[in-house]
Every structure is written in C-alpha cells, then in structure tokens.
Amino acid sequence: MTILKGKVNYVGVNDRTKDLFESLWPLPYGVSYNSYLIDDDKVTLIDTVDVSFFPKFLKNIHEVIGDRPIDYLVINHMEPDHSGSISLIRKYYPNITIVGNKKTLEMVNGFYGEHTQTLAVSDGAELNIGHHKLRFYLTPMVHWPETMMTFDENDHILFSGDAFGCFGALNGAVVDKDMNIEHYWGEMIRYYSNIVGKYGSPVQKALAKLGGIDIEMICSTHGPVWTEYIPQVVAEYNRMSLYEGARGVVIAYGSMYGHAEEMAEAIAAELAAQGVKNIVMHNVARTDHSYILADIFRYKGLVLGCPTYNTQLFPEMDKLLKEIASREVKNRVTAYFGTFSWAGQVGKKMCEWNEKMKFTEVCTPVECKQGITPEVLENCSQLAKAVAAQL
Ligand code: FEO
C-alpha cells in the first residue's frame, strides 16, 4: 500500500509470472495492474485487478481500511485484467455500488452477471464522496468502447484507465519521481503501439477533452503513477496518436539464406552515410513483432524486404504487414526490397499493400534474383538515398 496524496492510496498488484500479455505480447519486466482506493467519507475503489491476484489485492485494501466497507467501485475499463475481480469484490463487499457508464454496466452484466446496485454515470457527471468530488469523462475506444476516465477535482488526479499506461511491474516505488523510469519509457511506447495503437483518433479526442483540466497526477491502470513526467507522457501520447515519427528508419526484413539480409545491410549502411542516425534493423523471424511495431511508431521511415515464398510474401513479413495495417499506421515514408529464385512477388505484393496504407512510397522496389550482384547493391544504395531524402 502506498499513499499517493491525502486520502488516495495505491492498492494495485504486480504480475511477474505471465509470459504474454493478452496471450500475445512478451512481458520481460512483468506488468502491474493498478487500482486505487480513496478513503473518504464514502470509501471508493477505482478499478480492480486480474483475478489471479485477488488475495494480494484484498490484503492491500485491508491495509488501508481494515474491516470497514467500500461504498463505491468505479470501473473505468472492463478488460478483465482490470475488471476480473469485480465479482469477488462484491462477494467481500456486498453493499458496494458499481459505478460506470451505460456501456460499462452492460459489460459488467455480460462478463460477470452483476446487474444490481449499480450507478450509471454520463459524460461530465460528478460523484461526491465526501471531501473529494469525482468527475467522469467518457473516452470511448481508449481502449474499449466503454472506457472512461475519472478525475478527482480536489487533488487534481486523473484516473486514466489504460491511457498513459505501460508494461513493467513496479519495483518498490509507485510514483515516477521516486524511480528510474528509463525502461518504462520504451515499454510505454511498446504498450501503446501494440494495445492502443489502432485508436489514434479516439486518443486525440480524449486528449482534446482533457485539454483544459489541471492534472497534477496521472494514475493509469499499468505502470508508474505519473507526476513530474506528465508533460512528456502526454506529449508522447499526442505524437503517437497523430502517427508522427521521428527522423529515423526501421528496416524490417526476412531472410532465408542471407541475400535479403545483405540487401538490408547495404540499405542501412547508405542511410547511415546519408546522416540518418536512428536506424533500427529487425529480422522479422527473430524479433518479437511487438518490438518492431513499437519502433515503427517511433520512426518515420519504414523499409521492408523479404524473399518470395510459395509465390507469396515470406510468412513472418506477411504477418507484420497485417499487424501494421490493423493499427492503421499513417504518415510513413516507405520502400521495399525482395529476393526470389524464379518468380519474384515481393515488390508487387508490397505495393498492393501500400495502396491501402497510403504511405509515401519512394523508389521502385529493388528485386534480387538469386545471387547478389553489384547492380542489386547499387539499387539498394539508391533506395536508401531516396528514403533519406524524404525524412
Ligand atoms: Fe489493461 Fe485494456 O486493459
């Protein structure tokens, strides 16, 4: 248990056992499920935790309020990593009132069969819990349709749900000013790009809605509580949700026998010669795609290359293209290269994909039939120059 400010306490838990978040995304540093307890006249819990951690969660709650009851459970987000303990909370606190918007309460019933003693709130509604007044802001699709944020108007604390969250368990400290946030920063970008990345437009709407609010503390559902880094965190969310990339290039390639990799290396070398300092190379068959996607959200340039495989794209590249498309990434400068033995398809397939993505495509795709030749390397060099010129 950690007191964040006055009557507001952190009662979340850390998960260092799960390998894959959502059964998809690696968790090298674990993950936290954050929950907050306001010990006001009406004791109010904000979100719950993954049900596997309920005993520890309950212990954290008891450390704050002992055997006293909880009056309200505010649900900002219904994904089960946060809502999973709703039924158990209600079992231990049978008189608790579940607070959520209309969509939330439908989901509370759908997931957990809980439909009594609920309080529906609309956008802008307030709830007075004693010294604190909570105001609710509906922020649909950040990350689910029911997502909302709760603002404590007394302490200027925003309980933001998934927004501004990141992977990484909390190692002792809870608040950013008390820890080294270095690895959380990369994990925030990876979290955003993989979990929330598709919803740039809803994130922009949420940022606009929150724009006039004086926020001194952001309490999200994952990762550190933000205080001194609030301007940077909000700016990063703004950048990512606008799909703006810094000057740099991600080269993602698949290579079966080294030819495509040699082309990737040649492109990288020329980019460096052109003064591009941020160059990230990923072998799509070796690097977990969550890291590739995070870098694609970082940088403006995107060079993709692979062999033709069964007249299609190399399978891991095909998968990556679908992952980029499903996040509706925008505003990238892109170029393609491919290898083949008798029937090349990479350039054609990549260009077809780009008809949907509408990235700025520079240079004709460079194709290499069988072995690498000086002409292929020269074409790679020209491709790199064309990309560098557009960054
Ligand atoms: Fe952490 Fe969308 O749940």
PDB file of all heavy atoms in Angstrom, residues 207-227:
ATOM      1  N   LEU A 207      -7.592  13.372 -25.625  1.00  0.00           N
ATOM      2  CA  LEU A 207      -6.619  14.411 -25.247  1.00  0.00           C
ATOM      3  C   LEU A 207      -7.263  15.794 -25.349  1.00  0.00           C
ATOM      4  O   LEU A 207      -7.040  16.657 -24.492  1.00  0.00           O
ATOM      5  CB  LEU A 207      -5.374  14.333 -26.135  1.00  0.00           C
ATOM      6  CG  LEU A 207      -4.475  13.107 -25.925  1.00  0.00           C
ATOM      7  CD1 LEU A 207      -3.328  13.106 -26.937  1.00  0.00           C
ATOM      8  CD2 LEU A 207      -3.905  13.060 -24.507  1.00  0.00           C
ATOM      9  N   ALA A 208      -8.096  15.999 -26.374  1.00  0.00           N
ATOM     10  CA  ALA A 208      -8.764  17.290 -26.521  1.00  0.00           C
ATOM     11  C   ALA A 208      -9.742  17.507 -25.364  1.00  0.00           C
ATOM     12  O   ALA A 208      -9.828  18.608 -24.796  1.00  0.00           O
ATOM     13  CB  ALA A 208      -9.497  17.345 -27.858  1.00  0.00           C
ATOM     14  N   LYS A 209     -10.445  16.452 -24.984  1.00  0.00           N
ATOM     15  CA  LYS A 209     -11.424  16.566 -23.899  1.00  0.00           C
ATOM     16  C   LYS A 209     -10.736  16.899 -22.571  1.00  0.00           C
ATOM     17  O   LYS A 209     -11.259  17.636 -21.752  1.00  0.00           O
ATOM     18  CB  LYS A 209     -12.186  15.239 -23.784  1.00  0.00           C
ATOM     19  CG  LYS A 209     -13.356  15.290 -22.842  1.00  0.00           C
ATOM     20  CD  LYS A 209     -14.110  13.964 -22.827  1.00  0.00           C
ATOM     21  CE  LYS A 209     -15.225  13.924 -23.832  1.00  0.00           C
ATOM     22  NZ  LYS A 209     -16.147  12.797 -23.630  1.00  0.00           N
ATOM     23  N   LEU A 210      -9.540  16.347 -22.379  1.00  0.00           N
ATOM     24  CA  LEU A 210      -8.817  16.557 -21.121  1.00  0.00           C
ATOM     25  C   LEU A 210      -7.979  17.833 -21.143  1.00  0.00           C
ATOM     26  O   LEU A 210      -7.376  18.207 -20.133  1.00  0.00           O
ATOM     27  CB  LEU A 210      -7.892  15.361 -20.859  1.00  0.00           C
ATOM     28  CG  LEU A 210      -8.571  13.983 -20.749  1.00  0.00           C
ATOM     29  CD1 LEU A 210      -7.530  12.874 -20.745  1.00  0.00           C
ATOM     30  CD2 LEU A 210      -9.418  13.906 -19.491  1.00  0.00           C
ATOM     31  N   GLY A 211      -7.946  18.468 -22.303  1.00  0.00           N
ATOM     32  CA  GLY A 211      -7.020  19.583 -22.517  1.00  0.00           C
ATOM     33  C   GLY A 211      -7.109  20.702 -21.495  1.00  0.00           C
ATOM     34  O   GLY A 211      -6.098  21.276 -21.113  1.00  0.00           O
ATOM     35  N   GLY A 212      -8.318  21.033 -21.040  1.00  0.00           N
ATOM     36  CA  GLY A 212      -8.456  22.175 -20.145  1.00  0.00           C
ATOM     37  C   GLY A 212      -8.358  21.825 -18.670  1.00  0.00           C
ATOM     38  O   GLY A 212      -8.580  22.678 -17.805  1.00  0.00           O
ATOM     39  N   ILE A 213      -8.020  20.591 -18.366  1.00  0.00           N
ATOM     40  CA  ILE A 213      -8.022  20.144 -16.967  1.00  0.00           C
ATOM     41  C   ILE A 213      -6.619  20.275 -16.381  1.00  0.00           C
ATOM     42  O   ILE A 213      -5.636  19.912 -17.021  1.00  0.00           O
ATOM     43  CB  ILE A 213      -8.480  18.669 -16.894  1.00  0.00           C
ATOM     44  CG1 ILE A 213      -9.878  18.528 -17.504  1.00  0.00           C
ATOM     45  CG2 ILE A 213      -8.494  18.175 -15.451  1.00  0.00           C
ATOM     46  CD1 ILE A 213     -10.302  17.083 -17.657  1.00  0.00           C
ATOM     47  N   ASP A 214      -6.569  20.774 -15.160  1.00  0.00           N
ATOM     48  CA  ASP A 214      -5.282  20.935 -14.473  1.00  0.00           C
ATOM     49  C   ASP A 214      -4.941  19.614 -13.769  1.00  0.00           C
ATOM     50  O   ASP A 214      -5.451  19.319 -12.697  1.00  0.00           O
ATOM     51  CB  ASP A 214      -5.397  22.084 -13.466  1.00  0.00           C
ATOM     52  CG  ASP A 214      -4.113  22.277 -12.684  1.00  0.00           C
ATOM     53  OD1 ASP A 214      -3.062  21.774 -13.129  1.00  0.00           O
ATOM     54  OD2 ASP A 214      -4.166  22.911 -11.611  1.00  0.00           O
ATOM     55  N   ILE A 215      -4.092  18.820 -14.418  1.00  0.00           N
ATOM     56  CA  ILE A 215      -3.787  17.476 -13.909  1.00  0.00           C
ATOM     57  C   ILE A 215      -2.427  17.498 -13.207  1.00  0.00           C
ATOM     58  O   ILE A 215      -1.418  17.873 -13.808  1.00  0.00           O
ATOM     59  CB  ILE A 215      -3.756  16.449 -15.065  1.00  0.00           C
ATOM     60  CG1 ILE A 215      -5.113  16.412 -15.782  1.00  0.00           C
ATOM     61  CG2 ILE A 215      -3.392  15.052 -14.543  1.00  0.00           C
ATOM     62  CD1 ILE A 215      -5.104  15.640 -17.086  1.00  0.00           C
ATOM     63  N   GLU A 216      -2.399  17.071 -11.959  1.00  0.00           N
ATOM     64  CA  GLU A 216      -1.138  17.027 -11.208  1.00  0.00           C
ATOM     65  C   GLU A 216      -0.620  15.597 -11.055  1.00  0.00           C
ATOM     66  O   GLU A 216       0.542  15.387 -10.698  1.00  0.00           O
ATOM     67  CB  GLU A 216      -1.331  17.653  -9.819  1.00  0.00           C
ATOM     68  CG  GLU A 216      -1.599  19.148  -9.898  1.00  0.00           C
ATOM     69  CD  GLU A 216      -1.853  19.758  -8.527  1.00  0.00           C
ATOM     70  OE1 GLU A 216      -1.613  19.080  -7.497  1.00  0.00           O
ATOM     71  OE2 GLU A 216      -2.306  20.910  -8.492  1.00  0.00           O
ATOM     72  N   MET A 217      -1.499  14.628 -11.285  1.00  0.00           N
ATOM     73  CA  MET A 217      -1.088  13.239 -11.128  1.00  0.00           C
ATOM     74  C   MET A 217      -1.929  12.393 -12.077  1.00  0.00           C
ATOM     75  O   MET A 217      -3.141  12.579 -12.175  1.00  0.00           O
ATOM     76  CB  MET A 217      -1.306  12.800  -9.668  1.00  0.00           C
ATOM     77  CG  MET A 217      -0.885  11.395  -9.362  1.00  0.00           C
ATOM     78  SD  MET A 217      -1.126  10.988  -7.596  1.00  0.00           S
ATOM     79  CE  MET A 217       0.275  11.756  -6.830  1.00  0.00           C
ATOM     80  N   ILE A 218      -1.264  11.482 -12.805  1.00  0.00           N
ATOM     81  CA  ILE A 218      -1.995  10.550 -13.663  1.00  0.00           C
ATOM     82  C   ILE A 218      -1.826   9.151 -13.088  1.00  0.00           C
ATOM     83  O   ILE A 218      -0.699   8.649 -12.954  1.00  0.00           O
ATOM     84  CB  ILE A 218      -1.490  10.582 -15.115  1.00  0.00           C
ATOM     85  CG1 ILE A 218      -1.781  11.939 -15.758  1.00  0.00           C
ATOM     86  CG2 ILE A 218      -2.139   9.466 -15.940  1.00  0.00           C
ATOM     87  CD1 ILE A 218      -1.265  12.080 -17.180  1.00  0.00           C
ATOM     88  N   CYS A 219      -2.964   8.542 -12.752  1.00  0.00           N
ATOM     89  CA  CYS A 219      -2.961   7.185 -12.219  1.00  0.00           C
ATOM     90  C   CYS A 219      -3.573   6.275 -13.262  1.00  0.00           C
ATOM     91  O   CYS A 219      -4.801   6.202 -13.398  1.00  0.00           O
ATOM     92  CB  CYS A 219      -3.788   7.125 -10.934  1.00  0.00           C
ATOM     93  SG  CYS A 219      -3.083   8.074  -9.581  1.00  0.00           S
ATOM     94  N   SER A 220      -2.726   5.609 -14.026  1.00  0.00           N
ATOM     95  CA  SER A 220      -3.248   4.704 -15.050  1.00  0.00           C
ATOM     96  C   SER A 220      -3.365   3.303 -14.461  1.00  0.00           C
ATOM     97  O   SER A 220      -3.040   3.067 -13.293  1.00  0.00           O
ATOM     98  CB  SER A 220      -2.340   4.709 -16.278  1.00  0.00           C
ATOM     99  OG  SER A 220      -1.331   3.750 -16.115  1.00  0.00           O
ATOM    100  N   THR A 221      -3.826   2.385 -15.282  1.00  0.00           N
ATOM    101  CA  THR A 221      -4.029   1.014 -14.797  1.00  0.00           C
ATOM    102  C   THR A 221      -2.786   0.143 -14.927  1.00  0.00           C
ATOM    103  O   THR A 221      -2.785  -1.000 -14.470  1.00  0.00           O
ATOM    104  CB  THR A 221      -5.195   0.352 -15.557  1.00  0.00           C
ATOM    105  OG1 THR A 221      -5.050   0.634 -16.953  1.00  0.00           O
ATOM    106  CG2 THR A 221      -6.527   0.863 -15.071  1.00  0.00           C
ATOM    107  N   HIS A 222      -1.744   0.654 -15.581  1.00  0.00           N
ATOM    108  CA  HIS A 222      -0.494  -0.113 -15.706  1.00  0.00           C
ATOM    109  C   HIS A 222       0.697   0.827 -15.551  1.00  0.00           C
ATOM    110  O   HIS A 222       0.718   1.894 -16.174  1.00  0.00           O
ATOM    111  CB  HIS A 222      -0.377  -0.768 -17.090  1.00  0.00           C
ATOM    112  CG  HIS A 222      -1.458  -1.734 -17.439  1.00  0.00           C
ATOM    113  ND1 HIS A 222      -1.581  -2.972 -16.859  1.00  0.00           N
ATOM    114  CD2 HIS A 222      -2.470  -1.658 -18.349  1.00  0.00           C
ATOM    115  CE1 HIS A 222      -2.611  -3.616 -17.382  1.00  0.00           C
ATOM    116  NE2 HIS A 222      -3.173  -2.846 -18.286  1.00  0.00           N
ATOM    117  N   GLY A 223       1.694   0.383 -14.794  1.00  0.00           N
ATOM    118  CA  GLY A 223       2.950   1.120 -14.750  1.00  0.00           C
ATOM    119  C   GLY A 223       2.950   2.260 -13.741  1.00  0.00           C
ATOM    120  O   GLY A 223       2.052   2.370 -12.896  1.00  0.00           O
ATOM    121  N   PRO A 224       3.961   3.115 -13.822  1.00  0.00           N
ATOM    122  CA  PRO A 224       4.138   4.156 -12.804  1.00  0.00           C
ATOM    123  C   PRO A 224       3.000   5.162 -12.772  1.00  0.00           C
ATOM    124  O   PRO A 224       2.351   5.432 -13.786  1.00  0.00           O
ATOM    125  CB  PRO A 224       5.435   4.862 -13.241  1.00  0.00           C
ATOM    126  CG  PRO A 224       6.107   3.943 -14.185  1.00  0.00           C
ATOM    127  CD  PRO A 224       5.030   3.135 -14.836  1.00  0.00           C
ATOM    128  N   VAL A 225       2.788   5.730 -11.597  1.00  0.00           N
ATOM    129  CA  VAL A 225       1.937   6.913 -11.447  1.00  0.00           C
ATOM    130  C   VAL A 225       2.773   8.097 -11.914  1.00  0.00           C
ATOM    131  O   VAL A 225       3.921   8.274 -11.496  1.00  0.00           O
ATOM    132  CB  VAL A 225       1.510   7.084  -9.970  1.00  0.00           C
ATOM    133  CG1 VAL A 225       0.932   8.472  -9.732  1.00  0.00           C
ATOM    134  CG2 VAL A 225       0.499   6.002  -9.585  1.00  0.00           C
ATOM    135  N   TRP A 226       2.200   8.876 -12.828  1.00  0.00           N
ATOM    136  CA  TRP A 226       2.970   9.986 -13.416  1.00  0.00           C
ATOM    137  C   TRP A 226       2.714  11.290 -12.669  1.00  0.00           C
ATOM    138  O   TRP A 226       1.561  11.648 -12.408  1.00  0.00           O
ATOM    139  CB  TRP A 226       2.608  10.161 -14.891  1.00  0.00           C
ATOM    140  CG  TRP A 226       2.843   8.957 -15.746  1.00  0.00           C
ATOM    141  CD1 TRP A 226       1.894   8.177 -16.341  1.00  0.00           C
ATOM    142  CD2 TRP A 226       4.110   8.372 -16.120  1.00  0.00           C
ATOM    143  NE1 TRP A 226       2.480   7.147 -17.052  1.00  0.00           N
ATOM    144  CE2 TRP A 226       3.838   7.246 -16.935  1.00  0.00           C
ATOM    145  CE3 TRP A 226       5.444   8.692 -15.848  1.00  0.00           C
ATOM    146  CZ2 TRP A 226       4.846   6.445 -17.475  1.00  0.00           C
ATOM    147  CZ3 TRP A 226       6.447   7.891 -16.383  1.00  0.00           C
ATOM    148  CH2 TRP A 226       6.150   6.790 -17.179  1.00  0.00           C
ATOM    149  N   THR A 227       3.781  11.971 -12.333  1.00  0.00           N
ATOM    150  CA  THR A 227       3.674  13.309 -11.737  1.00  0.00           C
ATOM    151  C   THR A 227       4.617  14.258 -12.485  1.00  0.00           C
ATOM    152  O   THR A 227       4.183  15.021 -13.322  1.00  0.00           O
ATOM    153  CB  THR A 227       4.007  13.292 -10.227  1.00  0.00           C
ATOM    154  OG1 THR A 227       5.314  12.737 -10.030  1.00  0.00           O
ATOM    155  CG2 THR A 227       2.979  12.502  -9.440  1.00  0.00           C
TER     156      THR A 227
END
